[in-house]
mmCIF file of all heavy atoms in Angstrom:
data_model
loop_
_atom_site.group_PDB
_atom_site.id
_atom_site.type_symbol
_atom_site.label_atom_id
_atom_site.label_comp_id
_atom_site.label_asym_id
_atom_site.label_seq_id
_atom_site.Cartn_x
_atom_site.Cartn_y
_atom_site.Cartn_z
ATOM 1 N N GLY X 6 -5.611 -4.144 4.897
ATOM 2 C CA GLY X 6 -4.781 -5.172 4.284
ATOM 3 C C GLY X 6 -5.489 -6.518 4.212
ATOM 4 O O GLY X 6 -5.320 -7.271 3.257
ATOM 5 N N GLN X 7 -6.307 -6.811 5.206
ATOM 6 C CA GLN X 7 -7.061 -8.066 5.185
ATOM 7 C C GLN X 7 -8.057 -8.080 4.036
ATOM 8 O O GLN X 7 -8.308 -9.119 3.431
ATOM 9 C CB GLN X 7 -7.762 -8.290 6.521
ATOM 10 C CG GLN X 7 -6.799 -8.679 7.629
ATOM 11 C CD GLN X 7 -7.458 -8.802 8.980
ATOM 12 O OE1 GLN X 7 -8.508 -8.221 9.238
ATOM 13 N NE2 GLN X 7 -6.850 -9.567 9.855
ATOM 14 N N MET X 8 -8.642 -6.933 3.719
ATOM 15 C CA MET X 8 -9.558 -6.855 2.578
ATOM 16 C C MET X 8 -8.819 -7.170 1.281
ATOM 17 O O MET X 8 -9.321 -7.861 0.414
ATOM 18 C CB MET X 8 -10.157 -5.451 2.454
ATOM 19 C CG MET X 8 -11.206 -5.122 3.452
ATOM 20 S SD MET X 8 -11.814 -3.464 3.083
ATOM 21 C CE MET X 8 -11.987 -2.835 4.723
ATOM 22 N N VAL X 9 -7.620 -6.650 1.171
ATOM 23 C CA VAL X 9 -6.840 -6.811 -0.048
ATOM 24 C C VAL X 9 -6.315 -8.241 -0.179
ATOM 25 O O VAL X 9 -6.181 -8.753 -1.280
ATOM 26 C CB VAL X 9 -5.659 -5.803 -0.056
ATOM 27 C CG1 VAL X 9 -4.741 -6.046 -1.215
ATOM 28 C CG2 VAL X 9 -6.197 -4.386 -0.101
ATOM 29 N N ALA X 10 -6.065 -8.891 0.945
ATOM 30 C CA ALA X 10 -5.473 -10.226 0.907
ATOM 31 C C ALA X 10 -6.473 -11.323 0.567
ATOM 32 O O ALA X 10 -6.078 -12.449 0.305
ATOM 33 C CB ALA X 10 -4.820 -10.530 2.247
ATOM 34 N N SER X 11 -7.754 -11.001 0.541
ATOM 35 C CA SER X 11 -8.744 -12.035 0.257
ATOM 36 C C SER X 11 -8.576 -12.553 -1.169
ATOM 37 O O SER X 11 -8.252 -11.815 -2.092
ATOM 38 C CB SER X 11 -10.155 -11.494 0.464
ATOM 39 O OG SER X 11 -10.410 -10.432 -0.431
ATOM 40 N N ALA X 12 -8.806 -13.845 -1.320
ATOM 41 C CA ALA X 12 -8.643 -14.483 -2.627
ATOM 42 C C ALA X 12 -9.637 -13.913 -3.628
ATOM 43 O O ALA X 12 -10.695 -13.418 -3.257
ATOM 44 C CB ALA X 12 -8.837 -15.985 -2.495
ATOM 45 N N GLY X 13 -9.282 -13.989 -4.879
ATOM 46 C CA GLY X 13 -10.160 -13.521 -5.941
ATOM 47 C C GLY X 13 -9.407 -13.500 -7.254
ATOM 48 O O GLY X 13 -8.174 -13.600 -7.277
ATOM 49 N N PRO X 14 -10.141 -13.353 -8.345
ATOM 50 C CA PRO X 14 -9.498 -13.389 -9.656
ATOM 51 C C PRO X 14 -8.528 -12.240 -9.923
ATOM 52 O O PRO X 14 -7.688 -12.337 -10.803
ATOM 53 C CB PRO X 14 -10.672 -13.360 -10.638
ATOM 54 C CG PRO X 14 -11.850 -12.914 -9.868
ATOM 55 C CD PRO X 14 -11.595 -13.226 -8.443
ATOM 56 N N LEU X 15 -8.623 -11.158 -9.144
ATOM 57 C CA LEU X 15 -7.738 -10.005 -9.364
ATOM 58 C C LEU X 15 -6.753 -9.822 -8.204
ATOM 59 O O LEU X 15 -6.326 -8.706 -7.908
ATOM 60 C CB LEU X 15 -8.571 -8.736 -9.575
ATOM 61 C CG LEU X 15 -9.543 -8.770 -10.749
ATOM 62 C CD1 LEU X 15 -10.322 -7.469 -10.842
ATOM 63 C CD2 LEU X 15 -8.824 -9.049 -12.050
ATOM 64 N N LEU X 16 -6.389 -10.925 -7.584
ATOM 65 C CA LEU X 16 -5.488 -10.872 -6.434
ATOM 66 C C LEU X 16 -4.179 -10.153 -6.764
ATOM 67 O O LEU X 16 -3.678 -9.366 -5.973
ATOM 68 C CB LEU X 16 -5.205 -12.288 -5.921
ATOM 69 C CG LEU X 16 -4.399 -12.400 -4.636
ATOM 70 C CD1 LEU X 16 -5.132 -11.704 -3.485
ATOM 71 C CD2 LEU X 16 -4.154 -13.859 -4.283
ATOM 72 N N GLN X 17 -3.648 -10.382 -7.947
ATOM 73 C CA GLN X 17 -2.390 -9.742 -8.366
ATOM 74 C C GLN X 17 -2.527 -8.217 -8.345
ATOM 75 O O GLN X 17 -1.642 -7.511 -7.868
ATOM 76 C CB GLN X 17 -2.011 -10.217 -9.765
ATOM 77 C CG GLN X 17 -0.765 -9.567 -10.312
ATOM 78 C CD GLN X 17 -0.504 -9.938 -11.773
ATOM 79 O OE1 GLN X 17 -1.281 -10.631 -12.405
ATOM 80 N NE2 GLN X 17 0.608 -9.473 -12.307
ATOM 81 N N ILE X 18 -3.645 -7.722 -8.843
ATOM 82 C CA ILE X 18 -3.867 -6.269 -8.862
ATOM 83 C C ILE X 18 -4.033 -5.743 -7.443
ATOM 84 O O ILE X 18 -3.502 -4.685 -7.098
ATOM 85 C CB ILE X 18 -5.094 -5.908 -9.725
ATOM 86 C CG1 ILE X 18 -4.872 -6.324 -11.172
ATOM 87 C CG2 ILE X 18 -5.399 -4.421 -9.643
ATOM 88 C CD1 ILE X 18 -6.094 -6.153 -12.051
ATOM 89 N N LYS X 19 -4.760 -6.479 -6.604
ATOM 90 C CA LYS X 19 -4.947 -6.050 -5.217
ATOM 91 C C LYS X 19 -3.609 -5.918 -4.505
ATOM 92 O O LYS X 19 -3.396 -4.971 -3.757
ATOM 93 C CB LYS X 19 -5.857 -7.028 -4.461
ATOM 94 C CG LYS X 19 -7.298 -6.920 -4.851
ATOM 95 C CD LYS X 19 -8.211 -7.645 -3.889
ATOM 96 C CE LYS X 19 -8.195 -9.113 -4.088
ATOM 97 N NZ LYS X 19 -9.237 -9.811 -3.302
ATOM 98 N N HIS X 20 -2.709 -6.854 -4.750
ATOM 99 C CA HIS X 20 -1.392 -6.781 -4.114
ATOM 100 C C HIS X 20 -0.616 -5.553 -4.577
ATOM 101 O O HIS X 20 0.045 -4.892 -3.772
ATOM 102 C CB HIS X 20 -0.595 -8.067 -4.378
ATOM 103 C CG HIS X 20 -1.013 -9.198 -3.520
ATOM 104 N ND1 HIS X 20 -0.349 -9.588 -2.402
ATOM 105 C CD2 HIS X 20 -2.087 -10.026 -3.622
ATOM 106 C CE1 HIS X 20 -0.958 -10.593 -1.841
ATOM 107 N NE2 HIS X 20 -2.024 -10.889 -2.557
ATOM 108 N N LEU X 21 -0.689 -5.235 -5.858
ATOM 109 C CA LEU X 21 -0.004 -4.044 -6.375
ATOM 110 C C LEU X 21 -0.569 -2.770 -5.744
ATOM 111 O O LEU X 21 0.183 -1.877 -5.335
ATOM 112 C CB LEU X 21 -0.137 -3.972 -7.896
ATOM 113 C CG LEU X 21 0.604 -5.025 -8.703
ATOM 114 C CD1 LEU X 21 0.221 -4.936 -10.178
ATOM 115 C CD2 LEU X 21 2.107 -4.868 -8.523
ATOM 116 N N VAL X 22 -1.891 -2.687 -5.652
ATOM 117 C CA VAL X 22 -2.546 -1.511 -5.080
ATOM 118 C C VAL X 22 -2.196 -1.386 -3.598
ATOM 119 O O VAL X 22 -1.917 -0.292 -3.102
ATOM 120 C CB VAL X 22 -4.074 -1.584 -5.309
ATOM 121 C CG1 VAL X 22 -4.812 -0.558 -4.484
ATOM 122 C CG2 VAL X 22 -4.397 -1.415 -6.789
ATOM 123 N N TRP X 23 -2.187 -2.509 -2.877
ATOM 124 C CA TRP X 23 -1.874 -2.484 -1.447
ATOM 125 C C TRP X 23 -0.430 -2.056 -1.208
ATOM 126 O O TRP X 23 -0.147 -1.237 -0.332
ATOM 127 C CB TRP X 23 -2.133 -3.853 -0.822
ATOM 128 C CG TRP X 23 -1.844 -3.877 0.636
ATOM 129 C CD1 TRP X 23 -0.932 -4.635 1.286
ATOM 130 C CD2 TRP X 23 -2.465 -3.069 1.646
ATOM 131 N NE1 TRP X 23 -0.949 -4.356 2.622
ATOM 132 C CE2 TRP X 23 -1.873 -3.406 2.871
ATOM 133 C CE3 TRP X 23 -3.454 -2.102 1.617
ATOM 134 C CZ2 TRP X 23 -2.253 -2.797 4.054
ATOM 135 C CZ3 TRP X 23 -3.825 -1.497 2.806
ATOM 136 C CH2 TRP X 23 -3.233 -1.851 4.008
ATOM 137 N N ARG X 24 0.480 -2.596 -2.002
ATOM 138 C CA ARG X 24 1.887 -2.217 -1.858
ATOM 139 C C ARG X 24 2.058 -0.716 -2.085
ATOM 140 O O ARG X 24 2.767 -0.035 -1.341
ATOM 141 C CB ARG X 24 2.727 -3.021 -2.856
ATOM 142 C CG ARG X 24 4.190 -2.711 -2.776
ATOM 143 C CD ARG X 24 4.946 -3.475 -3.850
ATOM 144 N NE ARG X 24 6.244 -2.883 -4.024
ATOM 145 C CZ ARG X 24 7.379 -3.492 -3.749
ATOM 146 N NH1 ARG X 24 7.375 -4.726 -3.330
ATOM 147 N NH2 ARG X 24 8.521 -2.871 -3.926
ATOM 148 N N HIS X 25 1.394 -0.194 -3.103
ATOM 149 C CA HIS X 25 1.434 1.246 -3.385
ATOM 150 C C HIS X 25 0.903 2.046 -2.189
ATOM 151 O O HIS X 25 1.483 3.071 -1.811
ATOM 152 C CB HIS X 25 0.622 1.545 -4.650
ATOM 153 C CG HIS X 25 0.475 2.994 -4.946
ATOM 154 N ND1 HIS X 25 1.479 3.738 -5.523
ATOM 155 C CD2 HIS X 25 -0.569 3.841 -4.736
ATOM 156 C CE1 HIS X 25 1.074 4.992 -5.648
ATOM 157 N NE2 HIS X 25 -0.164 5.071 -5.187
ATOM 158 N N ALA X 26 -0.173 1.571 -1.577
ATOM 159 C CA ALA X 26 -0.764 2.281 -0.438
ATOM 160 C C ALA X 26 0.180 2.311 0.762
ATOM 161 O O ALA X 26 0.353 3.358 1.401
ATOM 162 C CB ALA X 26 -2.094 1.632 -0.047
ATOM 163 N N ILE X 27 0.806 1.188 1.055
ATOM 164 C CA ILE X 27 1.723 1.123 2.201
ATOM 165 C C ILE X 27 2.954 1.994 1.964
ATOM 166 O O ILE X 27 3.403 2.721 2.849
ATOM 167 C CB ILE X 27 2.131 -0.343 2.487
ATOM 168 C CG1 ILE X 27 0.931 -1.137 3.004
ATOM 169 C CG2 ILE X 27 3.287 -0.423 3.459
ATOM 170 C CD1 ILE X 27 0.394 -0.653 4.335
ATOM 171 N N ILE X 28 3.490 1.944 0.762
ATOM 172 C CA ILE X 28 4.658 2.779 0.440
ATOM 173 C C ILE X 28 4.280 4.258 0.511
ATOM 174 O O ILE X 28 5.016 5.069 1.085
ATOM 175 C CB ILE X 28 5.227 2.402 -0.944
ATOM 176 C CG1 ILE X 28 5.870 1.019 -0.878
ATOM 177 C CG2 ILE X 28 6.226 3.450 -1.428
ATOM 178 C CD1 ILE X 28 6.237 0.437 -2.228
ATOM 179 N N SER X 29 3.123 4.615 -0.026
ATOM 180 C CA SER X 29 2.660 6.008 0.028
ATOM 181 C C SER X 29 2.479 6.470 1.466
ATOM 182 O O SER X 29 2.851 7.594 1.816
ATOM 183 C CB SER X 29 1.331 6.154 -0.722
ATOM 184 O OG SER X 29 1.503 5.869 -2.076
ATOM 185 N N ALA X 30 1.900 5.601 2.304
ATOM 186 C CA ALA X 30 1.682 5.955 3.705
ATOM 187 C C ALA X 30 3.006 6.236 4.414
ATOM 188 O O ALA X 30 3.130 7.213 5.162
ATOM 189 C CB ALA X 30 0.918 4.835 4.414
ATOM 190 N N GLU X 31 3.985 5.399 4.165
ATOM 191 C CA GLU X 31 5.283 5.587 4.815
ATOM 192 C C GLU X 31 5.994 6.841 4.297
ATOM 193 O O GLU X 31 6.598 7.588 5.064
ATOM 194 C CB GLU X 31 6.160 4.348 4.625
ATOM 195 C CG GLU X 31 7.408 4.357 5.473
ATOM 196 C CD GLU X 31 7.148 4.496 6.971
ATOM 197 O OE1 GLU X 31 6.149 3.975 7.483
ATOM 198 O OE2 GLU X 31 7.974 5.156 7.638
ATOM 199 N N ILE X 32 5.913 7.099 3.014
ATOM 200 C CA ILE X 32 6.501 8.328 2.456
ATOM 201 C C ILE X 32 5.834 9.552 3.059
ATOM 202 O O ILE X 32 6.507 10.512 3.458
ATOM 203 C CB ILE X 32 6.402 8.330 0.915
ATOM 204 C CG1 ILE X 32 7.356 7.292 0.326
ATOM 205 C CG2 ILE X 32 6.690 9.725 0.350
ATOM 206 C CD1 ILE X 32 7.177 7.047 -1.165
ATOM 207 N N CYS X 33 4.506 9.532 3.140
ATOM 208 C CA CYS X 33 3.777 10.661 3.728
ATOM 209 C C CYS X 33 4.176 10.871 5.183
ATOM 210 O O CYS X 33 4.352 12.003 5.628
ATOM 211 C CB CYS X 33 2.269 10.434 3.618
ATOM 212 S SG CYS X 33 1.636 10.586 1.941
ATOM 213 N N ARG X 34 4.315 9.765 5.927
ATOM 214 C CA ARG X 34 4.717 9.862 7.331
ATOM 215 C C ARG X 34 6.082 10.530 7.449
ATOM 216 O O ARG X 34 6.282 11.441 8.247
ATOM 217 C CB ARG X 34 4.750 8.480 7.974
ATOM 218 C CG ARG X 34 5.274 8.517 9.410
ATOM 219 C CD ARG X 34 5.829 7.207 9.924
ATOM 220 N NE ARG X 34 5.101 6.034 9.600
ATOM 221 C CZ ARG X 34 4.296 5.381 10.444
ATOM 222 N NH1 ARG X 34 4.114 5.845 11.649
ATOM 223 N NH2 ARG X 34 3.701 4.288 10.066
ATOM 224 N N ARG X 35 7.017 10.103 6.646
ATOM 225 C CA ARG X 35 8.377 10.643 6.730
ATOM 226 C C ARG X 35 8.437 12.107 6.297
ATOM 227 O O ARG X 35 9.110 12.916 6.932
ATOM 228 C CB ARG X 35 9.329 9.795 5.905
ATOM 229 C CG ARG X 35 9.552 8.443 6.540
ATOM 230 C CD ARG X 35 10.489 7.591 5.771
ATOM 231 N NE ARG X 35 10.544 6.254 6.363
ATOM 232 C CZ ARG X 35 11.466 5.382 6.080
ATOM 233 N NH1 ARG X 35 12.429 5.671 5.237
ATOM 234 N NH2 ARG X 35 11.446 4.196 6.644
ATOM 235 N N LEU X 36 7.723 12.440 5.229
ATOM 236 C CA LEU X 36 7.704 13.835 4.781
ATOM 237 C C LEU X 36 7.041 14.736 5.825
ATOM 238 O O LEU X 36 7.507 15.857 6.060
ATOM 239 C CB LEU X 36 6.986 13.962 3.438
ATOM 240 C CG LEU X 36 7.725 13.391 2.228
ATOM 241 C CD1 LEU X 36 6.841 13.457 0.989
ATOM 242 C CD2 LEU X 36 9.035 14.127 2.002
ATOM 243 N N ALA X 37 5.972 14.261 6.438
ATOM 244 C CA ALA X 37 5.297 15.049 7.469
ATOM 245 C C ALA X 37 6.233 15.301 8.643
ATOM 246 O O ALA X 37 6.280 16.408 9.181
ATOM 247 C CB ALA X 37 4.033 14.330 7.942
ATOM 248 N N GLY X 38 6.996 14.283 9.024
ATOM 249 C CA GLY X 38 7.956 14.446 10.120
ATOM 250 C C GLY X 38 9.003 15.495 9.802
ATOM 251 O O GLY X 38 9.389 16.293 10.667
ATOM 252 N N LEU X 39 9.452 15.531 8.570
ATOM 253 C CA LEU X 39 10.453 16.520 8.162
ATOM 254 C C LEU X 39 9.889 17.939 8.138
ATOM 255 O O LEU X 39 10.632 18.905 8.257
ATOM 256 C CB LEU X 39 11.007 16.170 6.775
ATOM 257 C CG LEU X 39 11.820 14.880 6.693
ATOM 258 C CD1 LEU X 39 12.154 14.552 5.239
ATOM 259 C CD2 LEU X 39 13.091 14.999 7.526
ATOM 260 N N ARG X 40 8.578 18.044 7.964
ATOM 261 C CA ARG X 40 7.937 19.357 7.871
ATOM 262 C C ARG X 40 7.160 19.730 9.132
ATOM 263 O O ARG X 40 6.380 20.675 9.138
ATOM 264 C CB ARG X 40 7.005 19.401 6.665
ATOM 265 C CG ARG X 40 7.752 19.277 5.366
ATOM 266 C CD ARG X 40 6.795 19.282 4.204
ATOM 267 N NE ARG X 40 7.516 19.234 2.950
ATOM 268 C CZ ARG X 40 7.750 20.289 2.186
ATOM 269 N NH1 ARG X 40 7.319 21.473 2.537
ATOM 270 N NH2 ARG X 40 8.412 20.158 1.059
#
């Protein structure tokens, strides 16, 4: 997350990609628990 939070011209895209990664991680965690 610290890599993604660094300033740069594509900060908006980095935030979208990071949010997707965190949501995916949590979904995977929950699905794994159910299985």
